[in-house]
Amino acid sequence: MFNIAQSFFIDRQLVNGSLSVFVTSVDVYFKNKLEQSRGTSGIAKPGATLSILPFKDGAPVADGNVIVVARAEFDSIVATTDASTSTKFSFTNPVMLKTDTDYAFAISFDGDERSYSLWKNQAGEVDIITGNTAKISSGRVDGNVYELTNGTSLTPLVNVDLKFKVNIAKFTDTNKTYVISNRPYEYMSLDSTSTAIVTGK
């Protein structure tokens, strides 16, 4: 089950009106990383899994409808005291997502590890890097953090977001044409045009 989730929205206006994008990776920012073999899970080097989830009725759909997953192993997880360095979750293949559509990414820690924590932004708090006070809202593309409660439910936190980046592919050569067709799997040749073909026997 997921430990924490964050909704996100890719604004079509920001990608030249494209109806879809190809997401290559997601960056998140770890606040705490346990020492090897010192966590609560008993796993010596617990990693983390990030899953892209669909959205329905204003909440992430967390009942098995995972679109794609990516991994960050223990040694690649970076924690910082100032949220300056991210941990990248890269997808094996870019995943196509629709623009102007709500999605969420959810993170689960191996063994339900509780020693990990992620950097969050809460409205009214001071930004640790810029010193500016965080805004309550930045517009229609705002998301929400969802934390696991009662062991099964993802509950939204008001005016709270994770620090994250959704990275999308940029295609530089758009002039090529590709022809896609089914692979031919059966051939038949005739020696004479008068040859009769009888079927059903």
Side-chain angles (χ1 to χ4, degrees), residues 2 4 10 30 41-42 49 62 77 79 104 108 112 116 118 142 157 163 170 177 180 182 191 195 197 199:
F2 308 116
I4 193 168
I10 299 174
F30 279 77
S41 64
T49 300
I77 294 174
S108 57
D112 196 29
Y116 284 131
L118 303 175
D142 275 359
L157 303 181
K163 181 176 183 180
K170 181 179 181 180
T177 301
I180 301 175
N182 292 331
D191 294 331
T195 299
I197 299 175
T199 61

Side-chain angles (χ1 to χ4, degrees), residues 55-68:
F55 221 71
K56 183 179 180 181
D57 298 328
V61 180
D63 57 356
N65 293 301
V66 174
I67 297 173
V68 68

